[in-house]
Every structure is written in C-alpha cells, then in structure tokens.
Amino acid sequence: MKKLKIIQTSDVHGYMFAHNYIEEKSLGLLKVASYIKVLRERYFVLLIDTGDMFQGSALTHYLNKSLHKKEFLCNPITDLLNQMKYDVLTLGNHEFNYGLDYLKWSLNDFNGQILNANIIGMNDIISTKPYHIFTYNNIKVADRINN
C-alpha cells in the first residue's frame, strides 16, 4: 500500500531556476518538480505551498509589467504549479505586492485549492475556502488555515 507524503514549499518568490550565482546549489521550483515527480511514483503526495510564490524575482517583476500588455494568457508560474499538480496554495504577504489585478491573474487558472480564512473580501477577487478535505486510499486528510 502506498503511503502519503505531505510536501510543503514556501517563499519561492517566483524562482523557477537556481538563483545562487556564487555557489553551485540545486535551488528553484524546477528542481523541486523533479523531486516531486520521483516521489509520486512511490507515494501519494499532498503538495502545498504556504505563500510568497508570485513576487520577488526578475521573472515576477517582468510578468507584472507585461500583465497589461497581455503577453501571456496565464501566469507561467501558475502553469508550472498545475503541471506539478500542486494541491493547495495559501496566500503570503508578498502575494499582494503587485496589486490585486496581478494576484487575480496569477491565481485564476490554478487547478488546486486556494485556502484562506483570514483575508476579508478575498472571495470578491478569487474563489477561496477556509479548508479542504483530501482523500487518499480512503484516508481523509484535512488542510485548514486557522483564523
């Protein structure tokens, strides 16, 4: 029987590739993607990001500036999150740095759950819920954000 692995990322800040140019280090969301792919072969994986995904890198700055030019149909970071099959995103404080239009555009095409229980009015911008229950092999796992 497969076991469940809960994997959590945080503070990715839009870094898809390694961004330490001084030392050789395996960093970035694409490195995580290769690790998750291997894990999914052996385990059920509940993949969660706990915020600060869409702001902080040169890529996110470019995406924000290109938003009004309509260069991209959806945020390529969101596209990668969907390809990686992220189950849950929560909102970090930096998600709001570029404004609500960028945030809505970034979250609009996300295939997983967006959890939020403490930002009043967020559901006017994007659909969120305070918790979600996942089922793996008849075992229920809940992920909840406390008020």
Side-chain angles (χ1 to χ4, degrees):
M1 175 183 1
K2 278 187 173 181
K3 293 182 178 181
L4 173 66
K5 291 276 185 185
I6 300 174
I7 307 296
Q8 179 259 333
T9 57
S10 181
D11 295 284
V12 173
H13 289 286
Y15 284 99
M16 303 296 100
F17 297 97
H19 61 279
N20 185 335
Y21 301 107
I22 297 169
E23 301 174 36
E24 287 295 320
K25 290 187 177 181
S26 297
L27 303 170
L29 198 56
L30 289 168
K31 180 66 176 180
V32 174
S34 62
Y35 179 67
I36 298 301
K37 185 176 180 181
V38 171
L39 285 179
R40 287 190 188 279
E41 294 171 4
R42 297 182 56 206
Y43 303 99
F44 294 112
V45 173
L46 177 58
L47 187 54
I48 302 167
D49 184 80
T50 56
D52 295 349
M53 175 63 71
F54 296 102
Q55 181 280 336
S57 67
L59 172 62
T60 62
H61 181 75
Y62 176 77
L63 291 171
N64 178 50
K65 293 296 181 188
S66 67
L67 175 62
H68 301 291
K69 298 175 190 173
K70 308 221 184 278
E71 290 183 41
F72 300 93
L73 294 175
C74 72
N75 189 322
I77 298 169
T78 307
D79 189 40
L80 177 59
L81 297 175
N82 288 335
Q83 288 180 46
M84 292 175 66
K85 299 178 183 158
Y86 263 82
D87 298 293
V88 175
L89 288 180
T90 63
L91 304 174
N93 60 316
H94 291 292
E95 254 66 79
F96 298 90
N97 285 19
Y98 293 143
L100 297 179
D101 287 342
Y102 177 77
L103 179 61
K104 182 176 181 177
W105 174 69
S106 296
L107 297 175
N108 196 44
D109 293 311
F110 180 62
N111 292 335
Q113 302 296 318
I114 301 168
L115 299 186
N116 163 57
N118 62 350
I119 303 171
I120 296 171
M122 195 65 211
N123 281 338
D124 295 338
I125 299 161
I126 194 88
S127 179
T128 67
K129 20 195 227 186
Y131 68 91
H132 184 79
I133 299 173
F134 298 90
T135 304
Y136 296 94
N137 213 21
N138 295 321
I139 298 171
K140 291 185 180 194
V141 179
D143 193 357
R144 179 189 165 126
I145 305 301
N146 291 323
N147 286 334

